[in-house]
C-alpha cells in the first residue's frame, strides 16, 4: 500500500511558489496563527483521528516549535531529539519509512476578523513544517506538503467565512519519503517549527514580484526591472507601478528603469525603497543594486573580485532547535558582522526568510542552499540515491524552485546552491536548469558533483591547503573526464566547507586565508560551522548542560559531532571565533621579518578611512607612548609601517615591550551600522621592540634538611630529589609531561595519518606517564642536580630528565629550575606537549588569580594564534578554562615570560621564563595552562558541568604544544605546528610571593 507520506511527488493542493516580501512591507491583510494550538502525538502516521475532530481536551503546544522540545530543558513529553550525521536512523528502504512514525495532530481555530477584506483570495501559509504534512479545514483535506524548510501555501478562500469559526487540522509525520532527501547533519526535530499565517491576496494584487536590480560598475548605473504577476487563481502579468522615490524613478512593471545609484555590497549594504503598487496592493521592498559575475575564472561583485570569508550557518537555538526567534537571527547576523564574517552559506536549507532580510540590511553575501541532502545513501555506494532517480526529479526541481521564487529579490543572495551531499546524477542537471530558467543572474553552486558540469563555481569541502594552492594556480590534478576537466578549470573555486571548528580549533585558518589572498581563482570559503548544536537539558540534580548525540538515549547517534561550531550553544564566542575574526580582519596588520608591519586594506569597495590606526608602545599593560598613523588605504592596497624613529624605547626590563597597532573604528567616521560600535577592532598586529632582560644567573646554594632532603629556595625536595613542597604548598605531582586531554581533532586521524594523535599518545604510554627519580646530588656550584626517567607502562618510550635546582640568592624565596629532557626509546609520531606538569595542593584552586605577560588574552595554539597578542592580562583560574561543549584540552597561553599566581589565602608564586628551547631552537617564553582539575578528569568528562575542582591547582609549563589542526573532518596539524618528541630545555625562576 502506498501511504500518502511515502508518495514521491511534489506537494499537492498548494499554491505555486512565489516571492516572500519582508513582514510588514505590504498593505495586504495578514493574520498570524502563531500561538498555542491543540496537539496530540500518535505513534504512527495513520493516527485514526478524523480531521474533523476538534481535538477537545488535547494538550496545548506552542506553534512554531518542535514537539520534541516542548518541555525543554526539563521534560520531554513528546519523544526526544535524536542526532545522526550521515546515516538514516531507520532502514534504507526508500520511499518507505518505519511504521513507528511519531505523528502530531494539530488543531486550531481559524477565524477571519470581521474586517477581513472582501474579495480576492485567502492563503494559509506555512513557513516550515518538518517533515510531511496534511492540511484540512473543517474536516476537508485540502493539501499535502513537504520540504521542511520551504514555504507552503494553501488557498482556503472557499473554506473561510469572515467572522465564523473554522477548524484547521494539520497532521505532521516525523518521517516520510522526504526524510530521505533531508538528511542534513543535525538533530531530527519535527513539527510546525516556523510561523503560520493567513494572508489576504487582493484581486489584482501583487502575488509575485520579481526584482531585477543590476549595477553597472563602469557607469555607476543601476538598472531596475520589476515584474509583477498573479499566481494561482488568475496567473499572469499584473499591471503595476514601480517607484523609487529616492531616485526619482517612476515607471511601470516590466519596464527598465535606470538611474545613477550607490551599489549594494556586504561592505556597504545600500538599499533603496522600491514601491510596487497596483490599485489594490502596495509593497515596499528594500532593493539593492548589484551584479554578480564570473569573469576569467574570478568571482566578481559589481566588477570587483570579492573574497568570501564565510561561515556555514545552521539554524539553531539551544532551547528551540531550528525554531528561531527574530532576535536570535539578528544576534547571529550582528555576531557575524562583528567578527568580520562577510558571507554565510545557509547550510543546508533555505533559512527563515527573515534571516535574508537581515543579510540584505546588514550586509552578508549569502549562498542560499536548497533543502536537499541524501548523504545516508553514500554508506552503500549511493545505491538508490534520489539525486539520480527520475522518480524524484519533480520533487527536487520543486524544492529548488520554491527556494528561488521565495528568495530571488534578496540582494544578499549571490549564489544558489542545489543542496549538500546529495551525490551525483541526472537531477543535478534538472535542478540547475530550473534555477537558470528562473534566475540567470546568479552563479549556481553544488559541491556533491566534482565534475562541476552543471554549476558555475567549482566547490569542495575540507580540501587540504596543498591542494587548494594547486587549484588556486589552476594546476590541480586532472579530473577523469577530460571534457569536464577543461570546463572546471575555468571556474572560480570555493571551499563550501573548511576548517572544521569542532571543539578546540580550528587550527590552520591562517594558512587557508593566505591562499585566498594569494590566488584570484580562490573566491574564499565557509568555515564549518557557526554554532554547536548543544540542546539545553538538565541532569538529575537540575543542573543545565548542553546535550549532544547520545544524551537522549538514542540507539544510533553520532555523539559529539554535532558540537562543531565557532559559538558555544549559548552563543558565547569560542576562541575559534576570536581567531576567525583576527584572520578575517578587513584591515590586516601583519609583522614582517624586517621589523615593520604590513597593513592591508582587504575591503573590495571601501577605503580604510573609517578605521583609525592607533599604536601604543607598551610593556604589559603599561603604556609608554601612543599615537596614530596617518594612513588611509584604497580598497585592495597595502602599506608598510614602522614605529616612529623617535620612539622612546626603554631599557630591557622584566617584561617585553611591544609596539601594537590596532585598526579601530572611529567615532566620527563610524559606519552607520548597529554592529559597528566605535572602538570595534578591524585588525591588529604588533612588533616586539624590546625583549625582556635575561634572568641573572643564580648564585645561592642548596642546603640539606634534617631528613636528608634538600632546600632550594622556596622548594623542599626529598633525599632522591623529589619535589615535596613549593612556596609552602604540598606538591602532588611534578614531572615532565607529554600528554594532553585529547581534543576532538586529536581523536581522529587526518587523511594522511594511520592513527589519530590521541591513539599515538596512548600507545606510547604518554597517557600514564610516571617518574622514577634516580639520584640527587648537590654540587660545588650550589645547585642540586636530579636525574630521572619519565615513562609510561608497557613501552620503552619516555624521557631522560636532568633537573637542576639552584636558589637565586641566599634568601628562601626564589629558585632557578632548569629541566633538560631527552626522548628515549621508540619515538611516537607526535607528542601532545613537551613541558612540566606541576600539581599543588590548593583547596581553592579555582579562586586563585593569575596575571601573566605573554600572548593573550585568550588561549592560543601553534596553528591558531593570529588573535593572540603580546601584553599582560589577569584572570581567576576558573575563567582560564574554555568550556567546550565536549571537554578537552583548552586554555593554553603561549609566549608567557612571567606569570604571577595569587592563591585565595593571599600568598603566591611567581614564575618567570628563562631559556626555553625545543630541539635546540629558542622559543619566546613558555606555554602556561592552569586548571582546578587534572587532565585525566578533563579527558574523561562528557560535559563541562561534570568537571569539579579536585583540591589541587594543576599547572603546565610547556616548552611547546602540538597544534590543534582540524582532523575531526579536515586536515590534521600541518608540519609547522607539529610537535615531535624532541630534546627540550626549560628554565624557569620560581619565587614565593
Ligand atoms: C560535511 C557536511 C556537514 C557536516 C560536516 C561535518 O561533510 O556537509 O553537513 O556534516 O561535514 O561536521
Amino acid at each position: 500500500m502506498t501511504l500518502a507520506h511515502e508518495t514521491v511527488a511534489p506537494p499537492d493542493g498548494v499554491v505555486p511558489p512565489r516571492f516572500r516580501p519582508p513582514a510588514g512591507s505590504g498593505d495586504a491583510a495578514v493574520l498570524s496563527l502563531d500561538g498555542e494550538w491543540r496537539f496530540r502525538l500518535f505513534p504512527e502516521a495513520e493516527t485514526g483521528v478524523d480531521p474533523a475532530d476538534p481535538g477537545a481536551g488535547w494538550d496545548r503546544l506552542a506553534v512554531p516549535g518542535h514537539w520534541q522540545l516542548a518541555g525543554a530543558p526539563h521534560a520531554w513529553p513528546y519523544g526526544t531529539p535524536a542526532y545522526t550525521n550521515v546515516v538514516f536512523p531507520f532502514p534504507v528502504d526508500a520511499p518507505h519509512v518505519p511504521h513507528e512514525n511519531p505523528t502530531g495532530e494539530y488543531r486550531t481555530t481559524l477565524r477571519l476578523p470581521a474586517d477581513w477584506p472582501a474579495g480576492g483570495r485567502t492563503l494559509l501559509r506555512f513557513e516550515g513544517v518538518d517533515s510531511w504534512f496534511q492540511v484540512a479545514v473543517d474536516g476537508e483535506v485540502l493539501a499535502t506538503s513537504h520540504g521542511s524548510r520551504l514555504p507552503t501555501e494553501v488557498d482556503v478562500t472557499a473554506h473561510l467565512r469572515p467572522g465564523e469559526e473554522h477548524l484547521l487540522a494539520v497532521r505532521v509525520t516525523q518521517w516520510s519519503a522526504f526524510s530521505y532527501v533531508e538528511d542534513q547533519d543535525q538533530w531530527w526535530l519535527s513539527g510546525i517549527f516556523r510561523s503560520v499565517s493567513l494572508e489576504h491576496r487582493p484581486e489584482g494584487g501583487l502575488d509575485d514580484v520579481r526584482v531585477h536590480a543590476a549595477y553597472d560598475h563602469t557607469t555607476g548605473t543601476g538598472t531596475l526591472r520589476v515584474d509583477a504577476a498573479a499566481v494561482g487563481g488568475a496567473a499572469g502579468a499584473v499591471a503595476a507601478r514601480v517607484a523609487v522615490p529616492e531616485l526619482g524613478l517612476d515607471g511601470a512593471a516590466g519596464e527598465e528603469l535606470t538611474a545613477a545609484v550607490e551599489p549594494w555590497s556586504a561592505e556597504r549594504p545600500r538599499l533603496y525603497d522600491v514601491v510596487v503598487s497596483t490599485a489594490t496592493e502596495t509593497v515596499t521592498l528594500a532593493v539593492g543594486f548589484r551584479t554578480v559575475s564570473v569573469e576569467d575564472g574570478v568571482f566578481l561583485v559589481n566588477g570587483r573580485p570579492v573574497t568570501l570569508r564565510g561561515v556555514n550557518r545552521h539554524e539553531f537555538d539551544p532551547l528551540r532547535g531550528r525554531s528561531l526567534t527574530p532576535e536570535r537571527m539578528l544576534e547571529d547576523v550582528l555576531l557575524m558582522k562583528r567578527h568580520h564574517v562577510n558571507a554565510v552559506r545557509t547550510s543546508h536549507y533555505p533559512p527563515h526568510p527573515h534571516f535574508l532580510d537581515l543579510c540584505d540590511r546588514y550586509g552578508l553575501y549569502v549562498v542560499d542552499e536548497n533543502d536537499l541532502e541524501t548523504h545516508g545513501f553514500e554508506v552503500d555506494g549511493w545505491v538508490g540515491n534520489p539525486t539520480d532517480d527520475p522518480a524524484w526529479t519533480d520533487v527536487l526541481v520543486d524544492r529548488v524552485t520554491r527556494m528561488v521564487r521565495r528568495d530571488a529579490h534578496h540582494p544578499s543572495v549571490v549564489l544558489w546552491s542545489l543542496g549538500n551531499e546529495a551525490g551525483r546524477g541526472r537531477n543535478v542537471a534538472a535542478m540547475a536548469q530550473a534555477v537558470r530558467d528562473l534566475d540567470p543572474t546568479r552563479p549556481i553552486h553544488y559541491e556533491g558533483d566534482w565534475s562541476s558540469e552543471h554549476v558555475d563555481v567549482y566547490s569542495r569541502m575540507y580540501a587540504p591547503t596543498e591542494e587548494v594552492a594547486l587549484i588556486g594556480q589552476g594546476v590541480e590534478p586532472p579530473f577523469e573526464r577530460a571534457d569536464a576537466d577543461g570546463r572546471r578549470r575555468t571556474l572560480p573555486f570555493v571551499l563550501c566547507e573548511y576548517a572544521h571548528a569542532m571543539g578546540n580549533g580550528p587550527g590552520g585558518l591562517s594558512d587557508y586565508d593566505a591562499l585566498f589572498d594569494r590566488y584570484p581563482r580562490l573566491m574564499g570559503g565557509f568555515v564549518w560551522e557557526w554554532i554547536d548544536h548543544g540542546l539545553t537539558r538538565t541532569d538529575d540534580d537540575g543542573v543545565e548542560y548542553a546535550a549532544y548525540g547520545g544524551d537522549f538515549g538514542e540507539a544510533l547517534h553520532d555523539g559529539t559531532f554535532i558540537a562543531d561550531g565557532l559559538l558555544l550553544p549559548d552563543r558565547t564566542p569560542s576562541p575559534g571565533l576570536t581567531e576567525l575574526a583576527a584572520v578575517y580582519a578587513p584591515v590586516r596588520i601583519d609583522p614582517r621579518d624586517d621589523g615593520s608591519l604590513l597593513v592591508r586594506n582587504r575591503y573590495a569597495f571601501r577605503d580604510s578611512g573609517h578605521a583609525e590606526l592607533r599604536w601604543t608602545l607598551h610593556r604589559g599593560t603599561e603604556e609608554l607612548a601612543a599615537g596614530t598613523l596617518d594612513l588611509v588605504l584604497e580598497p585592495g592596497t597595502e602599506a608598510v609601517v614602522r614605529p616612529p624613529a623617535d620612539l622612546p624605547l626603554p631599557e630591557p626590563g622584566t617584561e617585553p615591550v611591544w609596539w601594537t597597532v590596532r585598526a579601530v573604528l572611529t567615532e566620527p567616521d563610524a559606519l552607520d551600522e548597529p554592529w559597528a560600535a566605535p572602538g570595534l577592532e578591524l585588525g591588529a598586529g604588533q612588533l616586539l621592540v624590546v625583549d625582556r632582560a635575561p634572568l641573572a644567573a643564580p648564585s645561592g646554594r642548596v642546603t640539606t634538611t634534617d631528613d636528608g632532603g634538600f632546600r632550594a629556595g622556596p622548594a623542599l625536595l626529598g633525599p632522591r630529589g623529589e619535589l615535596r613542597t613549593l612556596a609552602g604548598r604540598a606538591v602532588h605531582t611534578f614531572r615532565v609531561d607529554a600528554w594532553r586531554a585529547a581534543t576532538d581533532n586529536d581523536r581522529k586521524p587526518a587523511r594522511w595519518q594511520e592513527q589519530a594523535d590521541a591513539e599515538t599518545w596512548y600507545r606510547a604510554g604518554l597517557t600514564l606517564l610516571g617518574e622514577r627519580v634516580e639520584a640527587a646530588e648537590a654540587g660545588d656550584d650550589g645547585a642540586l642536580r636530579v636525574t630521572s626517567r619519565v615513562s609510561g607502562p608497557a613501552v620503552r618510550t619516555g624521557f631522560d630528565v636532568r633537573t637542576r635546582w639552584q636558589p637565586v640568592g641566599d634568601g628562601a624565596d626564589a629558585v632557578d629550575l632548569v629541566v633538560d629532557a631527552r626522548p628515549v626509546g621508540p619515538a611516537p609520531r607526535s607528542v601532545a606537549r613537551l613541558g612540566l606538569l606541576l600539581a599543588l595542593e590548593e583547596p581553592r584552586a579555582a579562586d586563585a588569580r593569575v596575571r601573566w605577560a605573554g600572548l593573550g588574552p585568550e588561549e592560543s595554539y601553534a596553528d591558531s594564534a593570529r588573535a593572540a597578542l603580546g601584553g599582560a592580562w589577569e584572570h581567576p583560574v576558573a575563567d582560564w578554562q574554555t568550556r567546550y561543549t565536549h571537554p578537552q584540552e583548552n586554555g593554553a597561553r603561549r609566549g608567557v615570560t612571567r606569570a604571577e599566581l595569587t592563591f585565595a589565602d593571599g600568598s603566591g608564586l611567581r614564575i618567570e621564563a628563562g631559556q626555553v628551547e625545543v630541539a635546540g631552537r629558542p622559543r619566546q617564553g613558555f606555554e602556561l595552562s592552569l586548571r582546578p582539575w587534572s587532565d585525566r578528569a578533563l579527558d574523561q568528562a562528557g560535559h563541562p558541568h561534570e568537571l569539579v575542582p579536585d583540591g589541587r591547582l594543576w599547572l603546565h609549563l610547556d616548552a611547546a604544544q602540538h597544534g590543534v589542526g582540524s582532523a575531526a573532518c579536515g586536515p590534521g596539524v600541518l608540519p609547522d605546528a607539529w610537535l615531535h618528541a624532541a630534546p627540550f630545555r626549560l628554565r624557569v625562576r620560581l619565587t614565593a610571593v
Side-chain angles (χ1 to χ4, degrees):
M1 184 174 80
T2 309
L3 299 167
H5 66 284
E6 293 183 343
T7 305
V8 178
D12 181 42
V14 299
V15 174
R18 61 192 192 93
F19 91 129
R20 179 64 180 160
S25 60
D27 59 359
V30 179
L31 182 69
S32 168
L33 299 178
D34 293 353
E36 299 244 295
W37 289 26
R38 298 183 286 287
F39 178 77
R40 198 155 156 200
L41 191 68
F42 293 81
E44 51 193 61
E46 302 295 291
T47 62
V49 183
D50 196 301
D53 182 337
W58 289 6
D59 296 348
R60 294 277 184 278
L61 183 74
V63 170
H66 298 285
W67 66 63
Q68 289 92 345
L69 300 180
H74 307 293
W76 315 91
Y78 308 118
T80 44
Y83 165 58
T84 59
N85 169 9
V86 176
V87 296
F88 294 109
F90 45 76
V92 182
D93 181 22
H96 305 294
V97 289
H99 205 62
E100 299 74 44
N101 188 357
T103 296
E105 289 278 4
Y106 290 79
R107 298 291 184 270
T108 193
T109 304
L110 299 180
R111 170 192 254 272
L112 291 179
D115 61 352
W116 193 256
R121 292 175 305 135
T122 297
L123 307 184
L124 173 63
R125 182 175 176 97
F126 296 85
E127 295 294 352
V129 180
D130 195 328
S131 141
W132 175 94
F133 65 112
Q134 169 191 288
V135 181
V137 173
D138 292 335
E140 185 182 340
V141 175
L142 302 180
T144 58
S145 188
H146 53 84
S148 298
R149 274 68 63 164
L150 289 162
T152 293
E153 288 182 320
V154 183
D155 191 333
V156 291
T157 317
H159 305 270
L160 303 186
R161 286 168 301 277
E164 288 184 23
E165 288 198 347
H166 302 274
L167 175 67
L168 172 62
V170 185
R171 175 181 296 179
V172 183
T173 65
Q174 167 150 11
W175 309 119
S176 69
F178 310 99
S179 305
Y180 287 101
V181 295
E182 294 180 6
D183 187 29
Q184 291 92 345
D185 177 6
Q186 58 186 349
W187 294 100
W188 294 99
L189 292 169
S190 323
I192 305 176
F193 74 99
R194 288 184 187 159
S195 292
V196 187
S197 55
L198 281 170
E199 317 231 331
H200 183 244
R201 295 276 81 253
E203 194 69 48
L206 298 162
D207 292 352
D208 196 14
V209 172
R210 302 183 192 154
V211 177
H212 316 269
Y215 178 73
D216 180 344
H217 68 279
T218 60
T219 59
T221 308
T223 305
L224 176 69
R225 198 187 82 227
V226 176
D227 295 324
V231 297
V238 163
R241 295 301 300 169
V242 177
V244 192
E246 193 184 342
L247 296 172
L249 293 179
D250 197 347
E255 193 182 320
E256 210 156 77
L257 306 173
T258 57
V261 298
E262 293 172 45
W264 184 97
S265 69
E267 292 170 20
R268 289 181 186 273
R270 179 68 159 96
L271 296 169
Y272 292 88
D273 278 349
V274 173
V275 186
V276 189
S277 51
T278 67
T280 54
E281 184 173 11
T282 298
V283 172
T284 304
L285 293 173
V287 168
F289 293 88
R290 60 115 193 79
T291 293
V292 180
S293 58
V294 170
E295 281 167 41
D296 297 330
V298 179
F299 175 77
L300 306 175
V301 174
N302 299 332
R304 300 217 186 149
V306 158
T307 303
L308 303 177
R309 295 195 155 88
V311 292
N312 278 280
R313 172 183 180 269
H314 265 291
E315 296 185 314
F316 186 73
D317 177 287
L319 283 169
R320 304 181 51 86
R322 287 186 286 282
S323 184
L324 260 58
T325 59
E327 293 74 32
R328 275 280 183 251
M329 299 178 213
L330 179 62
E331 206 179 335
D332 279 348
V333 169
L334 298 183
L335 274 167
M336 287 177 193
K337 292 296 289 185
R338 287 182 186 131
H339 289 88
H340 312 314
V341 169
N342 73 1
V344 54
R345 173 176 178 234
T346 69
S347 53
H348 302 299
Y349 40 80
H352 189 289
H354 180 63
F355 180 74
L356 298 179
D357 297 335
L358 296 172
C359 293
D360 293 347
R361 159 78 184 81
Y362 295 103
L364 286 167
Y365 299 116
V366 174
V367 178
D368 198 359
E369 191 148 273
N370 187 23
D371 196 355
L372 169 64
E373 173 159 342
T374 64
H375 206 176
F377 288 92
E378 189 181 26
V379 177
D380 194 21
W382 295 107
V383 173
N385 184 15
T387 307
D388 196 28
D389 183 346
W392 283 87
T393 308
D394 290 350
V395 168
L396 303 192
V397 167
D398 167 72
R399 288 182 173 228
V400 90
T401 302
R402 281 153 79 191
M403 171 178 75
V404 175
R405 278 284 182 252
R406 191 193 74 165
D407 296 339
H409 58 288
H410 290 284
S412 56
V413 176
V414 293
L415 289 162
W416 298 117
S417 175
L418 304 179
N420 183 59
E421 296 185 321
R424 299 193 249 172
R426 66 192 82 194
N427 295 332
V428 173
M431 288 187 289
Q433 192 53 51
V435 172
R436 279 201 182 92
D437 291 347
L438 292 166
D439 175 28
T441 70
R442 291 164 172 107
I444 296 177
H445 166 273
Y446 175 61
E447 189 272 348
D449 179 355
W450 292 4
S451 76
S452 306
E453 259 185 297
H454 307 291
V455 294
D456 304 308
V457 298
Y458 173 28
S459 174
R460 292 275 304 281
M461 50 175 77
Y462 309 107
T465 40
E466 310 91 81
E467 190 184 356
V468 174
L470 296 179
I471 296 171
Q473 296 163 77
V475 295
E476 68 268 27
F479 187 60
E480 66 236 34
R481 282 181 34 212
D483 57 332
D485 186 68
R487 179 173 177 278
R488 192 182 65 178
R489 276 171 208 281
T490 65
L491 305 180
F493 179 77
V494 66
L495 279 163
C496 67
E497 294 176 28
Y498 79 110
H500 199 248
M502 186 173 185
N504 188 340
L509 268 180
S510 294
D511 302 277
Y512 282 103
D513 203 68
L515 294 172
F516 299 160
D517 276 338
R518 184 152 177 205
Y519 300 113
R521 186 186 184 196
L522 305 181
M523 56 188 274
F526 297 81
V527 166
W528 186 266
E529 70 173 307
W530 178 237
I531 184 168
D532 284 354
H533 310 207
L535 286 169
T536 310
R537 68 170 303 174
T538 47
D539 70 5
D540 294 344
D541 301 323
V543 179
E544 288 192 354
Y545 68 100
Y548 46 73
D551 282 336
F552 292 96
E554 305 107 290
L556 187 73
H557 64 82
D558 286 301
T560 57
F561 219 61
I562 193 81
D564 54 3
L566 296 163
L567 295 177
L568 302 182
D570 66 359
R571 282 182 167 68
T572 302
S574 82
L577 185 59
T578 311
E579 174 71 3
L580 181 93
V583 171
Y584 279 6
V587 183
R588 269 291 291 254
I589 305 174
D590 293 292
R592 303 199 318 162
D593 291 343
D594 67 353
S596 62
L597 291 174
L598 180 67
V599 185
R600 289 179 292 154
N601 175 2
R602 301 199 300 177
Y603 290 105
F605 302 105
R606 55 186 324 148
D607 67 33
S608 66
H610 59 291
E612 186 173 84
L613 290 174
R614 294 185 187 154
W615 62 261
T616 58
L617 182 75
H618 61 107
R619 184 167 14 213
T621 50
E622 181 200 354
E623 189 173 288
L624 307 173
T628 55
L629 298 174
D630 191 12
L631 180 66
V632 175
L633 292 170
E634 289 302 310
T637 64
E638 58 188 42
V640 170
V641 298
R642 293 192 159 73
D646 56 354
L647 208 56
L649 294 184
E651 290 302 311
T654 52
E655 291 181 15
V657 179
W658 301 93
W659 189 63
T660 302
V661 180
R662 293 173 196 273
V664 176
L665 196 60
T666 47
E667 202 132 13
D669 291 331
L671 313 182
D672 181 20
E673 296 290 351
W675 56 269
L680 182 81
E681 201 171 282
L682 300 170
Q686 65 179 180
L687 297 169
L688 176 64
V689 285
V690 183
D691 211 344
R692 77 219 143 96
L695 297 178
S699 58
R701 301 189 71 82
V702 165
T703 54
T704 48
T705 55
D706 293 346
D707 61 355
F710 304 90
R711 170 179 288 284
L716 275 180
L717 301 104
R720 283 177 298 115
E722 64 280 21
L723 180 64
R724 288 184 168 167
T725 68
L726 180 64
R729 237 156 267 275
V731 172
H732 174 271
T733 306
F734 175 72
R735 61 164 165 78
V736 158
D737 200 8
W739 185 67
R740 71 183 178 198
T743 65
D744 290 307
N745 291 314
D746 293 337
R747 289 173 199 265
K748 224 173 134 229
R751 272 169 246 188
W752 62 83
Q753 286 172 278
E754 305 121 47
Q755 207 175 68
D757 284 319
E759 176 76 10
T760 300
W761 304 335
Y762 171 76
R763 292 193 184 201
L766 307 185
T767 337
L768 293 168
L769 289 178
E771 183 175 45
R772 177 173 56 80
V773 184
E774 285 170 355
E777 194 186 319
D780 293 344
D781 58 357
L784 175 73
R785 289 181 174 76
V786 182
T787 50
S788 64
R789 165 67 70 89
V790 170
S791 52
V795 291
R796 288 182 294 119
T797 298
F799 296 88
D800 271 342
V801 185
R802 286 181 299 141
T803 309
R804 182 180 185 279
W805 298 90
Q806 182 164 18
V808 173
D810 291 333
D813 60 332
V815 64
D816 257 32
L817 166 65
V818 183
V819 176
D820 276 295
R822 202 168 49 83
V824 291
R829 256 200 350 262
S830 66
V831 291
R833 54 169 23 110
L834 293 171
L836 283 176
L837 170 64
L838 170 65
L840 297 172
E841 300 292 348
E842 168 51 43
R844 291 177 59 196
D847 300 333
R849 297 188 69 80
V850 56
R851 178 192 182 278
W852 82 100
L855 303 183
E858 292 207 53
E859 68 184 37
S860 65
Y861 290 82
D863 52 357
S864 171
R866 190 59 193 76
L869 292 177
W873 292 272
E874 187 169 343
H875 274 322
V877 168
D879 294 354
W880 185 276
Q881 320 305 316
T882 304
R883 293 173 66 81
Y884 288 114
T885 302
H886 175 221
Q888 54 196 278
E889 158 64 31
N890 69 81
R893 266 58 172 194
R894 298 162 65 252
V896 176
T897 51
R898 185 183 169 95
E900 291 210 18
L901 278 165
T902 308
F903 298 106
D905 67 3
S907 68
L909 177 68
R910 181 162 62 232
I911 310 167
E912 291 162 281
Q915 189 187 9
V916 181
E917 273 182 21
V918 177
R921 289 230 290 276
R923 307 233 163 185
Q924 170 81 357
F926 53 84
E927 304 193 11
L928 177 66
S929 306
L930 297 150
R931 304 181 218 297
W933 40 71
S934 66
D935 288 339
R936 185 161 325 284
L938 182 62
D939 194 57
Q940 287 170 359
H943 305 88
H945 73 293
E946 294 161 20
L947 284 164
V948 275
D950 63 5
R952 301 187 180 109
L953 181 64
W954 297 81
L955 288 101
H956 282 285
L957 306 177
D958 291 322
Q961 221 191 118
H962 194 50
V964 287
S966 192
C969 194
V973 175
L974 295 178
D976 60 350
W978 190 274
L979 190 62
H980 292 277
F984 70 93
R985 161 173 283 204
L986 189 64
R987 177 181 168 205
V988 287
R989 175 163 297 177
L990 305 169
T991 308
V993 286

